[in-house]
Amino acid sequence: MLEGQMIALSVRDFFTKSMLKIAFLPLIITMAVLLIAFYSAADYGFDSLQVYIESTQNGQDVTVDPNAPFYYIWATAVIGFLFQYSVTSWLVGFLFYTIGTLFVMMFSVFTTLIIIGFLTPFILEIIQKRHYPEIKTNGFGNILSPLWVLFRSGLIMVIMFFVLMPLYFIPFINIIAFNFPLYYFFHKLLNYDIASTILTKEEYAVIHAKKASSFRGRTIFLYILSMIPFITLFTAVFYIIYLGHGYFQELKKIRNNEDSIINSLDKKQITN
């Protein structure tokens, strides 16, 4: 199957009633919790700053803890200065809420991905019954293995963030340096969830040895897709459908080759 045909097939599967039910429920819950937490913290922070600004404007003495870290004192002074003027106050507030909202949207993708990971078997079962009824899945994952992969991949992602930190100050390169750890986490989590549900360890090793670059290209495409605003709000299920088709297609080839080898051996035994 050509890649374009696989994408078109995945899109059609995604827009079925059963898939849309799975797609929107975890995302709505995730977005609601994250946005409530963010805006509650933001409102509290801005209210505290407003009290600070009004106190300084009224000539009241506002003391800062001398034991506070230098960056806290510096940040309080700078933000307090900016909030003294209506124009800069509005600009800072606008940027804070805009950037914060975008961050919440991006973070919600990974949170949704984690939630969807627990629903991966149900999604792949629907795909298998609809398109690959002749293929029996025999996954190698267990209850604890996804949590271990999640912890390990998350830890490596954090380490990458610190290691690549010097590159964040170089224009253009910083875009790649910042996204590379996120992509690593994205790639590892998606591939493990799907492969461990469908394949045996031996089958995964065979596919990974031959088609690792193909699946890496697919996850790069999906990661770039996830960076488009608002599309990320409901595409996590599509990621599983698309990569699931990729693994089912490769598994089908392996099983067909095994059957052809067995048939050829049987024919040789009969002739002998």
Side-chain angles (χ1 to χ4, degrees), residues 180-194:
F180 183 74
L182 295 173
Y183 166 72
Y184 172 84
F185 181 80
F186 182 88
H187 173 82
K188 287 292 184 181
L189 211 60
L190 260 183
N191 273 283
Y192 181 82
D193 280 342
I194 297 168

Side-chain angles (χ1 to χ4, degrees), residues 243-256:
L243 288 182
H245 276 299
Y247 276 110
F248 272 121
Q249 288 291 326
E250 295 301 324
L251 180 58
K252 189 175 182 179
K253 294 177 184 177
I254 292 175
R255 298 279 174 85
N256 289 338

Side-chain angles (χ1 to χ4, degrees), residues 68-88:
F70 74 94
Y71 54 83
Y72 174 81
I73 300 173
W74 179 83
T76 303
V78 172
I79 296 175
F81 172 77
L82 291 175
F83 271 78
Q84 290 179 2
Y85 305 97
S86 59
V87 175
T88 55

Side-chain angles (χ1 to χ4, degrees), residues 18-217:
S18 57
M19 292 301 183
L20 289 177
K21 285 181 180 179
I22 299 174
F24 281 97
L25 184 59
L27 181 61
I28 291 171
I29 297 173
T30 302
M31 286 295 297
V33 172
L34 290 176
L35 286 173
I36 290 172
F38 168 71
Y39 283 113
S40 299
D43 288 339
Y44 177 79
F46 276 109
D47 288 342
S48 301
L49 283 172
Q50 194 64 36
V51 171
Y52 172 83
I53 294 164
E54 291 176 356
S55 300
T56 55
Q57 290 176 345
N58 294 332
Q60 298 179 11
D61 185 20
V62 180
T63 58
V64 178
D65 186 0
N67 296 322
F70 74 94
Y71 54 83
Y72 174 81
I73 300 173
W74 179 83
T76 303
V78 172
I79 296 175
F81 172 77
L82 291 175
F83 271 78
Q84 290 179 2
Y85 305 97
S86 59
V87 175
T88 55
S89 175
W90 176 86
L91 181 61
V92 170
F94 173 78
L95 291 175
F96 182 82
Y97 279 102
T98 301
I99 295 173
T101 302
L102 291 175
F103 175 78
V104 168
M105 289 171 59
M106 185 176 70
F107 185 73
S108 69
V109 173
F110 293 97
T111 306
T112 304
L113 201 61
I114 295 171
I115 297 174
I116 288 292
F118 293 99
L119 300 175
T120 298
F122 302 102
I123 298 172
L124 295 176
E125 183 179 1
I126 295 172
I127 297 298
Q128 185 262 336
K129 289 181 179 179
R130 183 175 297 161
H131 300 285
Y132 312 98
E134 74 282 3
I135 296 179
K136 293 183 179 180
T137 59
N138 189 15
F140 62 87
N142 54 52
I143 297 176
L144 296 178
S145 56
L147 297 176
W148 165 244
V149 174
L150 173 64
F151 172 77
R152 184 183 63 187
S153 301
L155 181 61
I156 294 175
M157 179 182 67
V158 172
I159 294 173
M160 284 183 177
F161 271 123
F162 284 103
V163 172
L164 297 174
M165 193 172 291
L167 300 179
Y168 297 160
F169 302 96
I170 304 174
F172 301 109
I173 295 178
N174 56 4
I175 297 175
I176 298 175
F178 180 76
N179 282 283
F180 183 74
L182 295 173
Y183 166 72
Y184 172 84
F185 181 80
F186 182 88
H187 173 82
K188 287 292 184 181
L189 211 60
L190 260 183
N191 273 283
Y192 181 82
D193 280 342
I194 297 168
S196 63
T197 303
I198 299 175
L199 312 170
T200 65
K201 287 185 178 181
E202 293 76 15
E203 290 168 339
Y204 176 70
V206 171
I207 293 175
H208 182 74
K210 295 180 178 180
K211 297 291 182 177
S213 58
S214 298
F215 282 95
R216 195 172 294 113

